[in-house]
Amino acid sequence: MKIGIVGAHGYVGSALRAYCDTQGYPYAKLGRQTTTDVPALVAHIEKSGLDYLINCAGYTGKPNVDACELHKAECLFGNAVLPGIIRDRVISKASFGA
């Protein structure tokens, strides 16, 4: 079993990676550079032979949630657009566990 973690370097993704490490589950880290380029994301998933894809990505703002008000486009992309891209374009094109 191999897990792909979208947002692997964020707060939730880091916690999931730590859990996978303690359980011995192999995973592929899918960070910001990979997720903003849809063809690269699909290729990475297919090449990695993933069985599962878990989306831990999200824009929460730095240094605090007020940053979401200042960076609305980034917030919208990370919290609404990217999950839709993963659902519509990535999952339909990738063959998990093949």
Side-chain angles (χ1 to χ4, degrees):
M1 172 180 72
K2 189 169 183 185
I3 301 166
I5 304 173
V6 178
H9 299 286
Y11 181 74
V12 175
S14 295
L16 180 57
R17 283 189 357 236
Y19 176 78
C20 289
D21 288 338
T22 64
Q23 300 299 310
Y25 298 146
Y27 57 87
K29 297 180 273 188
L30 302 164
R32 188 162 309 190
Q33 291 104 347
T34 309
T35 57
T36 55
D37 180 354
V38 175
L41 179 58
V42 173
H44 185 78
I45 290 169
E46 290 177 343
K47 181 177 76 174
S48 298
L50 301 176
D51 297 302
Y52 301 97
L53 182 66
I54 300 174
N55 181 19
C56 297
Y59 187 88
T60 57
K62 287 185 182 181
N64 55 46
V65 74
D66 293 335
C68 293
E69 291 295 324
L70 299 173
H71 305 282
K72 291 180 182 178
E74 292 89 346
C75 184
L76 178 65
F77 180 80
N79 297 328
V81 176
L82 179 60
I85 289 171
I86 292 169
R87 182 198 65 219
D88 294 341
R89 298 183 189 161
V90 176
I91 293 175
S92 63
K93 291 181 181 178
S95 55
F96 293 100

